[in-house]
Amino acid sequence: MEKKLWKDHCVLLNKDEENELEIFGYKTQGWRRVFCTAGYILSCGALLLLFYWKPEWDVWANCICCSLEEADVVLLRTTDEFQRYTRKKVTWIDLSTLALPVGSNSDGRLVADKDSVINRAVMKPQLKIRCIQVQKIRYIWDFSVKEFKKVGSLEDSNTCQSIHHKFGAGLTREEQKIRQLVCGPNAIKVEIRPIWKLLFKEILNPFYVFQAFTLTLWLSQGYIEYSMAIIILSIISVGLTVYDLRQQSTKLHDLVEEHNKVQVTVCTKSEGCKELESCYLVPGDMFLLDGKKLSLPCDAILIDGTCIVNEGMLTGESVPVTKTPLPLVESLMPWKTHSMEDYRRHVLFCGTEVIQTKATGKGPARAIVLQTGFNTAKGDLVRSILYPKPVNFKLYRDAFKFIVGLSVIGVFGLIYTVCVFVSHGKPVADVVTMALLLLTAAVPPAIPAALTTGTVYAQRRLKKKKIFCISPQRINICGQINLVCFDKTGTLTEDGLDLWGIIPSEGSRFQKIHKFPSSTPLPWGPVCGAMASCHSLVVLDKKIQGDPLDLKMFEGTHWEIEDCSTAQDGAGALNICVVRPGMKASSAPVEGIAILHQFPFSSGLQRMSVVSQKIGEEQYDLYMKGAPEIVSSFCRQDTVPVNFLKELKTYTSQGFRVIALAHKVLNLGKDVDVNSLEREEAESELVFLGLLVMENRLKQETKPVLRELAAARIRSVMVTGDNLQTAVTVARNAGMIHTGSKVILIEAKEPEGSAPASIAWRLAEDCKANTAAPRVCANTEEKITLEGETYNYHFAMNGKSYQVIIKYFYNLLPKILVNATVFARMSPGQKSSLVEEFQKLDYYVGMCGDGANDCGALKMAHAGISLSEQEASVASPFTSQIPNIQCVPELIREGRAALVASFAVVKYLTLYGLIQFVGTALLFWQLQIFGNHQYLIQDVIITLLVCLTMSLTEAYPKLAPYRPPGQLISPPLLLSIILNVCFTIAMQTCGFLLVKQQPWYVALASQRHCSPGNQTVPPTSPGENATSSGPQSTVLSYEDTTLWPLSSINCIIVAFVFSKGKPFRKPIYTNYVFSVLLALQLAICLFLFFADIDAVYSGMQFLCTPVIWRVYVLLMLLVTFCVSLFTEDVILQNKHLWLLIKALFGYQSNSQYRKWQRMLQSDPSWPPLNAKDIGAKSTDEIYINPTYENSDEE
């Protein structure tokens, strides 16, 4: 029973998706509400504030558990490691307000589509629907399965046929109204958040609340100047944050606003077609694409006609993409499964631009709305900016632990103060204020603010280097990166490909190669026909546009494209693209070729084909081009040369990109509709035409950058969609795989019939053996070992094998990943999955790609850098406008500098708090305290300025071969703080006790001024002194005059000692502002201490002491400085010493990848060579990576 109740009370929302949430049902209870309200009033709002920070406590206090069906409040919890809670109210949508005609629900259905969740969510007879809104997406309660379901998109269960039949003619007017009410408007609305809201959110941060409490206390003690300084600073800090958030909010609002008001022609069943504003669109609406340029206001499925769209906004590549209509086939499979991972070729995505439409005989192109509002592709992108994935970084958690630790010390101080003051019989009010004062002295309220200054400066420096960042807290994480994945094309190699040559094939034999550029044009023949017509190029604004590969191939023929003409066909106007031989082309017996139909390219299918017709002739031709392995499998085997694989390898192993061409004559009748051809049927029994060889050159920055990363012991991995052999060669040429290193190719096969899954390991031929590629071996760099590894082999595999390994050999995956360098033919989903698997091995992963199909991986990595100036890179935390990989070491350098700076600031602030704490505690012993101005100089003139300028030191230009410590709570850091605190205690206690031993010392002194020329003060009798001073001062004393310079100059000393330069930052003297400030601060302190000027002494509340004593104080400080500097630089920052200590104690790294490396080093059977492993039978448990399950949706 209890289990059943729990099942009704808690379910998963968005199962297995990136934004998976647990949802719990609660019911508000009257008497609990009354108690809580009383609590708010009695606690003066403190309880309300606590509930604001902890929404789950609010729900637990006000409500009781119940099933989700009865709930009026739900509590949502993220399923990641943070487990953050949010509270949402359940609201009702009332459909009875719509004047529904009586007949519309005669069969009990409100919506014609019987599979629609809306029908299952309506509560009869009230006609109401329960709903919640989470992160801009609306969910409604489905009574049949008892859970909340997303609305705003068509059901995935629809088949191709049902989409055509149910929605092909449009919806009825009534159904549109119902769907508008349930799904909400089709708009991506990002409200510009009002300033007061942003301000409140910022001020109610726990840290600012603690600061407010501290300031109230200090103001009550009369520390007006310091409190005002902190208040002004806090106002500036809050103001800047609010301004920044407001700017971001406005920018995002402007970015999406224009797409919300687009005019579209919508067709309804009864009323025909009419213009409508796009915000009224609902899933299932049918609209026309009438050839005008249009920015799509929703995701839609194309059902008739073809379209050319620019998906630059989504992918970052401004390459026109051709979309084809969803086929009308009788299949019981859901439409997405039927089109496999390639369903995207039928989908027009929101925010992308329709450049051109081609109508069919039936009239203009038509599309059906698939998703609206925030459910769309663009909505998803905007949501990922509005609700970024929280960054889990030890630094921020450690900083919090640190504050807690300091608070504990503060509590001890509080107890000590209470004991001292009570034993002296002081009034309760005094005891309380003094105790709280010492408590707040230990916890510097500036720690969180100081942590952000470091990242702000780093962000500014990155901006100067043309690297833009939308998630500043990730900069610190960049300092920990130890593995970088690179995309190949456009990232490591030049963007465009150059046509290198063509190897035609005739009679199943390869012919002589035709090289480019050449003096003689390519002779006419099927190969020339394929190159001239098998592409998806379009003419836009008198310029040929399209895939760079298609463009280079077409240019090689010297043919020309005509602007798409409108040929009169029996059925009406039909858009056809015509290509004709140009002036420089070889003479051809044809006037031109008309491209009638396209089966577009997709990364899933790795091929494209076109149906064409020579002008003036009746026969139809089909041309195909694509990955050689794929194309050859569609050809008649008697037309494929015997040495096909050998020839292919010759070129791919030299790093060329190879594409195969094939052709077939289609035997079609006279009046056949080319658009209704089945792709599977048309693409069969082809004749192999030959290979097209393209050259893809390395960018000149690639090699030096990879060498720099290797020298810094940062692993480089290549993840590409290209051929495996090509990828391995590029990796060798780029220096990712050093000369003399073995490459082991891994080939894994799915189980077939009775044969289980298998995995084969074979050695790739050494480049020396390959005579065809002498230039590959020109790489003679010294081999750099990676972090103590001496492995001499690299694994390489393609996406198919990776998929099989994840499914059947998951236990081998870590062993492989530790030494895998090349991943080829990887789909976007596999790229993200790979990044995640690397992260599971405790690598800090950077990903550098051109943003096209790497969006998922860029988001998944600790630091994703996209090399594109497109809006799509919004999805990756960093964008570099310099289109090469130089940005990677740049970012790592800045990350390391920012990380070290953050640590230095935290260490400094901790010590400053504890130095003050020790001094104040010593003075409390005799019921005294530092003066207001004394505190002011320590707090404002020294500490504040140090915090603001300490992080200005720039990054060191050379990457060190090790990383800075990644956590605050690590032995060197804690020891540094503990030892420096010990030095402070020793020094201040010495000063405190020694001053009492001096012959001129008086317990209650009043003589402030020093008589000129008089270096020693004559001792006065105690009685006489007491009378002149009246009531005892809480500040004036020799102890205070001694402790103040000791603590103030000690703050300057630690600021200097902690500002270490090499190996991660430039030396301290290069930070001019900071160096000058430290010198000035020291000068001010010495002046105040040594100047025998009465005005200064009375202002600072000092007593005059003999000069010799002041010199002693200076000597104490000098000794402290030397000891502290020696400890920090020679002992604690000594890398070799720590390595020695680790070796002595047998300490070994706990990172997963380290454990695997140690294990594999002692395993003689690894790596397996020329071996074959058999996987578990598929009946055994299969390991499937959850991110892969829905990778094709990315």
Side-chain angles (χ1 to χ4, degrees), residues 711-879:
R713 295 191 178 165
I714 294 168
R715 250 184 90 181
S716 303
V717 170
M718 186 193 295
V719 188
T720 174
D722 207 343
N723 168 295
L724 181 58
Q725 209 64 50
T726 310
V728 169
T729 311
V730 171
R732 279 197 191 277
N733 289 349
M736 262 186 194
I737 298 173
H738 294 290
T739 324
S741 295
K742 297 189 188 86
V743 174
I744 298 168
L745 302 179
I746 299 178
E747 219 171 305
K749 287 199 175 82
E750 288 254 5
E752 282 174 32
S754 60
S758 66
I759 184 167
W761 321 76
R762 60 187 180 78
L763 201 57
E765 285 99 77
D766 193 18
C767 62
K768 295 187 181 65
N770 191 343
T771 49
R775 63 201 185 92
V776 176
C777 289
N779 183 359
T780 50
E781 278 137 41
E782 73 287 11
K783 185 167 152 294
I784 299 165
T785 53
L786 261 188
E787 303 198 38
E789 303 153 20
T790 51
Y791 69 84
N792 209 1
Y793 59 92
H794 298 260
F795 290 125
M797 69 177 93
N798 61 21
K800 234 186 230 155
S801 298
Y802 174 74
Q803 197 48 40
V804 175
I805 290 170
I806 271 193
K807 206 166 168 183
Y808 300 99
F809 299 96
Y810 193 73
N811 53 345
L812 280 179
L813 193 64
K815 291 184 178 187
I816 293 170
L817 290 186
V818 167
N819 287 331
T821 304
V822 177
F823 295 86
R825 293 273 187 247
M826 297 284 275
S827 70
Q830 287 168 337
K831 286 183 181 181
S832 333
S833 151
L834 177 70
V835 168
E836 197 188 18
E837 291 300 334
F838 271 130
Q839 286 171 335
K840 284 182 190 166
L841 289 178
D842 297 335
Y843 278 110
Y844 277 87
V845 185
M847 168 83 200
C848 181
D850 53 9
N853 43 12
D854 310 326
C855 272
L858 289 170
K859 263 168 92 183
M860 181 69 71
H862 288 108
I865 316 162
S866 104
L867 308 180
S868 88
E869 295 176 39
Q870 291 285 341
E871 186 187 311
S873 51
V874 185
S876 83
F878 300 95
T879 310

Side-chain angles (χ1 to χ4, degrees), residues 61-81:
N62 280 293
C63 315
I64 52 163
C65 263
C66 68
S67 70
L68 279 164
E69 198 162 350
E70 304 163 343
D72 58 2
V73 170
V74 294
L75 192 59
L76 300 153
R77 180 170 71 187
T78 57
T79 52
D80 53 18
E81 69 236 79

Side-chain angles (χ1 to χ4, degrees), residues 447-497:
I447 284 186
L451 277 179
T452 51
T453 54
T455 43
V456 169
Y457 292 146
Q459 195 175 2
R460 259 193 10 211
R461 290 197 290 268
L462 285 170
K463 209 168 182 178
K464 281 185 194 155
K465 290 168 180 164
K466 293 260 194 316
I467 299 170
F468 299 93
C469 169
I470 59 164
S471 165
Q473 66 267 49
R474 282 186 189 250
I475 296 177
N476 277 337
I477 301 182
C478 293
Q480 285 291 298
I481 283 176
N482 54 359
L483 181 145
V484 187
C485 296
F486 292 100
D487 180 37
K488 181 179 80 71
T489 317
T491 305
L492 296 173
T493 58
E494 291 292 352
D495 234 339
L497 293 155

Side-chain angles (χ1 to χ4, degrees), residues 1044-1169:
W1044 184 81
L1046 284 177
S1047 54
S1048 301
I1049 297 177
N1050 197 355
C1051 285
I1052 300 172
I1053 288 172
V1054 290
F1056 178 82
V1057 169
F1058 289 162
S1059 300
K1060 183 154 168 52
K1062 273 175 75 169
F1064 303 115
R1065 298 197 292 167
K1066 286 184 177 171
I1068 182 171
Y1069 56 79
T1070 60
N1071 183 350
Y1072 306 119
V1073 183
F1074 182 61
S1075 311
V1076 169
L1077 261 174
L1078 282 189
L1080 274 174
Q1081 289 166 350
L1082 187 63
I1084 290 170
C1085 289
L1086 292 176
F1087 168 75
L1088 293 174
F1089 189 41
F1090 276 94
D1092 290 338
I1093 302 169
D1094 279 358
V1096 171
Y1097 273 43
S1098 61
M1100 289 299 295
Q1101 293 177 285
F1102 283 163
L1103 288 176
C1104 186
T1105 53
V1107 171
I1108 186 73
W1109 175 247
R1110 295 184 236 180
V1111 174
Y1112 283 154
V1113 168
L1114 269 193
L1115 279 174
M1116 277 191 251
L1117 283 164
L1118 195 64
V1119 171
T1120 309
F1121 171 67
C1122 294
V1123 174
S1124 180
L1125 191 66
F1126 177 82
T1127 315
E1128 188 73 17
D1129 266 19
V1130 181
I1131 300 173
L1132 296 175
Q1133 298 281 343
N1134 186 335
K1135 187 83 180 156
H1136 301 295
L1137 184 69
W1138 280 106
L1139 288 173
L1140 200 71
I1141 294 170
K1142 280 181 182 176
L1144 271 175
F1145 287 100
Y1147 169 82
Q1148 289 181 318
S1149 165
N1150 280 329
S1151 300
Q1152 285 298 323
Y1153 71 94
R1154 278 273 193 262
K1155 289 180 181 167
W1156 282 106
Q1157 280 168 356
R1158 290 197 293 270
M1159 227 161 79
L1160 296 179
Q1161 263 174 355
S1162 56
D1163 183 354
S1165 64
W1166 192 265
L1169 271 184

Side-chain angles (χ1 to χ4, degrees), residues 426-625:
K426 288 287 173 189
V428 176
D430 280 8
V431 177
V432 172
T433 41
M434 287 303 171
L436 288 174
L437 248 167
L438 196 57
L439 169 72
T440 53
V443 187
I447 284 186
L451 277 179
T452 51
T453 54
T455 43
V456 169
Y457 292 146
Q459 195 175 2
R460 259 193 10 211
R461 290 197 290 268
L462 285 170
K463 209 168 182 178
K464 281 185 194 155
K465 290 168 180 164
K466 293 260 194 316
I467 299 170
F468 299 93
C469 169
I470 59 164
S471 165
Q473 66 267 49
R474 282 186 189 250
I475 296 177
N476 277 337
I477 301 182
C478 293
Q480 285 291 298
I481 283 176
N482 54 359
L483 181 145
V484 187
C485 296
F486 292 100
D487 180 37
K488 181 179 80 71
T489 317
T491 305
L492 296 173
T493 58
E494 291 292 352
D495 234 339
L497 293 155
D498 292 320
L499 196 55
W500 183 84
I502 257 180
I503 313 152
S505 157
E506 259 175 59
S508 77
R509 294 245 291 280
F510 281 118
Q511 308 297 311
K512 190 167 163 289
I513 185 163
H514 180 95
K515 284 244 183 121
F516 290 94
S518 79
S519 47
T520 56
L522 183 70
W524 165 251
V527 174
C528 184
M531 288 171 66
S533 61
C534 192
H535 51 71
S536 56
L537 299 173
V538 288
V539 178
L540 297 175
D541 311 326
K542 305 220 161 61
K543 200 167 149 238
I544 302 179
Q545 289 190 4
D547 189 305
L549 184 145
D550 284 359
L551 206 55
K552 281 279 190 257
M553 176 184 81
F554 183 70
E555 282 169 3
T557 60
H558 296 300
W559 281 45
E560 285 160 5
I561 298 189
E562 282 192 2
D563 244 337
C564 287
S565 59
T566 309
Q568 284 307 316
D569 197 37
L574 179 68
N575 268 333
I576 307 175
C577 200
V578 178
V579 290
R580 301 181 190 274
M583 305 287 288
K584 291 184 186 167
S586 59
S587 57
V590 288
E591 192 189 325
I593 298 176
I595 303 167
L596 306 176
H597 184 64
Q598 258 189 50
F599 297 116
F601 173 81
S602 83
S603 48
L605 300 173
Q606 297 181 2
R607 66 177 195 274
M608 76 162 287
S609 43
V610 293
V611 177
S612 67
Q613 192 177 27
K614 297 187 186 83
I615 291 176
E617 292 185 23
E618 283 194 4
Q619 81 164 34
Y620 292 94
D621 296 288
L622 178 127
Y623 290 109
M624 180 196 277
K625 78 169 196 303

Side-chain angles (χ1 to χ4, degrees), residues 640-655:
V640 180
V642 190
N643 59 344
F644 165 72
L645 286 172
K646 189 172 166 229
E647 191 78 4
L648 177 62
K649 206 168 216 173
T650 308
Y651 291 99
T652 54
S653 62
Q654 293 179 66

